Amino acid sequence: MTLIPVVLSGGSGTRLWPLSRASFPKQLLKLISDSTMIQSTVDRLKGLSVSDPIVVCNENHRFIIAEQLMEIGVKKPSIILEPIAKNTAPAIAAACLQAKKIDKDAVVVVLPSDHDIKDKETFQNAVTTAAEEAMNGSLVTFGIKPTHPATGYGYINAEKSDGKVLPLKKFVEKPDFDTAKKYVESGDYFWNSGMFIFKAESFIEEVKKFDNSIYEITLASFEKASVDLDFIRLEKESFSKNPSISIDYAVMEKTSRGKVVPLDAGWSDVGSWSSLWDVSEKDENGNVIKADAVEIGLKDSFVYSKKTVAAIGLKDVVIVDTKDALLVADKSKSENVKEIVDKLKEMKNPVATESSVGYRPWGTYETIELGKRYRVKHIIVKPGQKLSVQLHYHRAEHWIIVSGTAKVRNGDREFILTENQSTFIPLGTVHNIENPGKLPLEFIEVQSGGYLEEDDIVRFEDIYGRCK
């Protein structure tokens, strides 16, 4: 049996704004440990006999995901790029098609990339039990033993049994508090974890049975996919015809092959600041402080900042400060952060989705000053990496080297720049910069012009396959 992790990484984590944004969502952040959420998801299976994972994500995150997987020793992941988000059913169908290419009898373990599980051994035992059941053709989900009547989770109803695997009866949408309390007291209900195990072929059989169009559309998109630098880019025209539907609605609520493996392993979906506070280590006053903080009378609160934070006489609050946004909230209302993000989007405020730090395959850039006709960036290029050969129609640029060595193309000239040297690139001039050294290259870029957005780039050469 080949067990293949399928990691779903298409979410934007808006309820953890302003730290998590669409351009760099929570699964790519180090929220709980020294590993990012997606790294922890993959590491959680180490010790079991699993192959390199299949990751389903969007185009903008492909390089940073590949880099984060490489950091934890994943050598050959299959990274499937969704051209448009269509919820979990089409994403899992595409992953199962890829899994069958690897092994026609593959068993896949479907894992969201943003969960926290404290008890790795218990989790792995549950995976082993579920995988054995999946070999019989079952579609297995993990039911989390509820600790309280939560209204933020869906529920799973299972038949009572003395075995490790329970027959699945039904999925239930998020209930009100009184209903949730009855569910918990009955002992017949579990929180819906969003994690599944089944043979790839079993899932495809059920998709065909209940909505064959999902299978046909996804198959067409998969067969027309382009493979670029080991990324599998699904064909957009076909894939966009898929309905936006979850695996629960499309398959699990309808199948007669559903089973539940109960899981009590300290699970959390880390979906809000309050849930992150729940799973984080706290001080003697119940505070989670990730900042240089001076506090008097602060209790049961979450504080995150790169700046010094002073807090006096506060209880049950969330304070999250980034370079371009500040959130102050009642911890019990932290689920409503999504509404703030929606309002910012209506106002067309870029802080709703864009981080002040941009991540590229060659390194990072950070906007440190922005005016009406100018932008100043701090750019870091990793050793051996290079930016594309490009030009801009609406802006000129001035590069000042801070540290490291730069190989520069400026028009028809090529030359080396080192610390404290600079060059000016006039509007419309073909240019690029690369780091030929073994240390990071840091430089300041001063842009000037009437239009300073990232889409004013015409690429001629690019080692990362981004030329149109």
Side-chain angles (χ1 to χ4, degrees):
M1 176 185 69
T2 300
L3 183 61
I4 303 177
V6 170
V7 180
L8 304 179
S9 185
S12 57
T14 53
R15 288 181 295 166
L16 286 173
W17 182 91
L19 202 56
S20 173
R21 307 191 195 183
S23 65
F24 204 75
K26 63 178 177 177
Q27 59 266 30
L28 306 179
L29 298 171
K30 297 177 180 179
L31 295 176
I32 299 171
S33 69
D34 292 333
S35 297
T36 66
M37 299 294 285
I38 194 170
Q39 288 174 330
S40 295
T41 300
V42 175
D43 274 339
R44 201 169 290 132
L45 293 169
K46 284 187 176 178
L48 297 176
S49 180
V50 297
S51 69
D52 282 338
I54 298 170
V55 180
V56 186
C57 66
N58 71 46
E59 182 91 12
N60 294 332
H61 303 150
R62 66 195 189 280
F63 291 111
I64 188 65
I65 285 176
E67 180 177 340
Q68 289 192 1
L69 292 177
M70 183 176 63
E71 288 174 356
I72 59 171
V74 177
K75 296 178 179 178
K76 291 186 177 180
S78 299
I79 299 181
I80 299 176
L81 307 179
E82 286 184 292
I84 183 172
K86 287 293 184 177
N87 216 315
T88 54
I92 294 170
C96 285
L97 291 170
Q98 175 62 17
K100 286 188 64 181
K101 283 186 67 175
I102 298 170
D103 181 347
K104 63 183 179 65
D105 296 319
V107 173
V108 300
V109 48
V110 179
L111 303 171
S113 57
D114 54 1
H115 290 180
D116 179 54
I117 296 177
K118 300 298 185 187
D119 189 341
K120 178 179 174 180
E121 182 179 355
T122 297
F123 171 71
Q124 290 194 353
N125 290 337
V127 168
T128 300
T129 298
E132 292 171 354
E133 179 64 31
M135 289 297 293
N136 299 323
S138 298
L139 277 63
V140 186
T141 185
F142 295 95
I144 306 301
K145 290 187 177 180
T147 58
H148 61 281
T151 58
Y153 299 138
Y155 283 72
I156 301 169
N157 184 212
E159 294 181 15
K160 288 185 177 179
S161 171
D162 294 331
K164 294 181 180 179
V165 182
L166 312 180
L168 170 66
K169 292 176 69 174
K170 64 178 179 178
F171 282 76
V172 182
E173 287 303 296
K174 297 175 183 178
D176 58 31
F177 179 81
D178 290 338
T179 304
K181 187 176 180 181
K182 291 178 182 176
Y183 288 166
V184 174
E185 290 173 350
S186 74
D188 298 336
Y189 288 81
F190 301 88
W191 289 338
N192 182 2
S193 70
M195 300 185 293
F196 306 89
I197 293 188
F198 35 68
K199 291 180 70 173
E201 180 60 31
S202 298
F203 180 76
I204 288 173
E205 288 171 357
E206 295 298 90
V207 169
K208 286 180 179 179
K209 181 190 298 184
F210 299 119
D211 193 340
N212 189 55
S213 66
I214 295 175
Y215 170 74
E216 295 291 347
I217 291 168
T218 306
L219 178 64
S221 177
F222 184 79
E223 290 179 337
K224 296 175 185 175
S226 60
V227 180
D228 183 14
L229 297 174
D230 296 327
F231 298 112
I232 303 165
R233 183 177 285 105
L234 298 174
E235 194 265 334
K236 184 175 182 178
E237 184 177 353
S238 299
F239 194 80
S240 62
K241 295 175 184 176
N242 262 314
S244 181
I245 187 169
S246 70
I247 179 178
D248 298 344
Y249 284 131
V251 175
M252 297 304 296
E253 290 187 357
K254 301 172 183 176
T255 185
S256 60
R257 298 159 69 174
K259 298 292 176 66
V260 180
V261 170
L263 180 63
D264 187 6
W267 171 91
S268 172
D269 73 345
V270 195
S272 66
W273 289 113
S274 60
S275 62
L276 181 57
W277 176 85
D278 283 337
V279 300
S280 298
E281 187 174 342
K282 303 169 186 65
D283 65 17
E284 64 275 10
N285 294 314
N287 298 317
V288 177
I289 298 180
K290 300 175 182 289
D292 180 13
V294 179
E295 49 87 10
I296 300 173
L298 183 69
K299 292 185 178 180
D300 300 329
S301 296
F302 186 99
V303 180
Y304 177 97
S305 178
K306 298 295 185 182
K307 305 185 185 77
T308 298
V309 175
I312 302 173
L314 298 175
K315 180 178 172 59
D316 292 322
V317 297
V318 173
I319 302 172
V320 181
D321 183 39
T322 65
K323 289 197 172 182
D324 57 354
L326 169 65
L327 170 70
V328 181
D330 182 323
K331 182 153 58 71
S332 67
K333 305 293 184 183
S334 64
E335 293 277 347
N336 299 337
V337 170
K338 187 179 184 299
E339 296 176 24
I340 293 291
V341 175
D342 290 340
K343 286 189 175 183
L344 289 169
K345 287 179 180 178
E346 290 175 10
M347 298 163 58
K348 301 189 184 306
N349 190 325
V351 301
T353 57
E354 299 299 319
S355 171
S356 61
V357 178
Y359 294 83
R360 295 293 183 266
W362 43 260
T364 63
Y365 69 86
E366 180 177 6
T367 297
I368 55 179
E369 186 64 40
L370 176 63
K372 188 173 182 180
R373 291 183 59 86
Y374 70 90
R375 184 193 300 264
V376 182
K377 289 182 176 180
H378 175 217
I379 298 177
I380 301 176
V381 184
K382 294 178 288 190
Q385 304 303 308
K386 63 175 73 175
L387 281 68
S388 59
V389 178
Q390 59 185 249
L391 64 77
H392 312 292
Y393 285 122
H394 301 287
R395 70 175 185 254
E397 295 177 345
H398 192 170
W399 293 342
I400 306 100
I401 307 303
V402 175
S403 65
T405 301
K407 183 179 178 182
V408 173
R409 174 177 174 179
N410 188 344
D412 57 4
R413 297 185 301 138
E414 287 193 358
F415 48 90
I416 298 292
L417 292 179
T418 56
E419 187 174 329
N420 292 324
Q421 294 182 321
S422 64
T423 188
F424 174 71
I425 300 129
L427 181 150
T429 301
V430 175
H431 62 279
N432 90 307
I433 188 169
E434 65 178 282
N435 181 357
K438 298 190 180 299
L439 298 174
L441 164 65
E442 295 189 45
F443 66 100
I444 300 298
E445 177 180 271
V446 181
Q447 303 175 356
S448 60
Y451 185 78
L452 304 173
E453 300 305 319
E454 288 299 309
D455 57 356
D456 179 24
I457 298 178
V458 179
R459 291 189 173 96
F460 300 99
E461 300 173 24
D462 184 56
I463 64 173
Y464 310 107
R466 295 174 297 168
C467 288
K468 293 183 180 180

Short mmCIF file of all heavy atoms in Angstrom, two decimals, residues 184 193 233 250:
data_model
loop_
_atom_site.label_atom_id
_atom_site.label_comp_id
_atom_site.label_asym_id
_atom_site.label_seq_id
_atom_site.Cartn_x
_atom_site.Cartn_y
_atom_site.Cartn_z
N VAL A 184 -23.15 17.02 22.10
CA VAL A 184 -22.02 16.64 22.94
C VAL A 184 -22.47 15.69 24.04
O VAL A 184 -21.80 14.68 24.34
CB VAL A 184 -21.32 17.88 23.53
CG1 VAL A 184 -20.24 17.49 24.52
CG2 VAL A 184 -20.72 18.74 22.41
N SER A 193 -13.60 17.20 11.29
CA SER A 193 -12.21 17.64 11.22
C SER A 193 -11.79 18.11 9.83
O SER A 193 -10.80 18.83 9.69
CB SER A 193 -11.29 16.49 11.64
OG SER A 193 -11.30 15.46 10.66
N ARG A 233 0.10 22.59 -13.45
CA ARG A 233 -0.84 23.71 -13.56
C ARG A 233 -2.10 23.23 -14.28
O ARG A 233 -2.09 23.01 -15.49
CB ARG A 233 -0.17 24.87 -14.31
CG ARG A 233 -1.03 26.12 -14.40
CD ARG A 233 -0.31 27.26 -15.09
NE ARG A 233 0.68 27.88 -14.24
CZ ARG A 233 2.00 27.71 -14.36
NH1 ARG A 233 2.47 26.90 -15.30
NH2 ARG A 233 2.84 28.32 -13.56
N ALA A 250 -20.51 17.08 -1.74
CA ALA A 250 -20.43 16.36 -3.01
C ALA A 250 -20.44 14.85 -2.82
O ALA A 250 -21.04 14.12 -3.62
CB ALA A 250 -19.17 16.78 -3.77
#
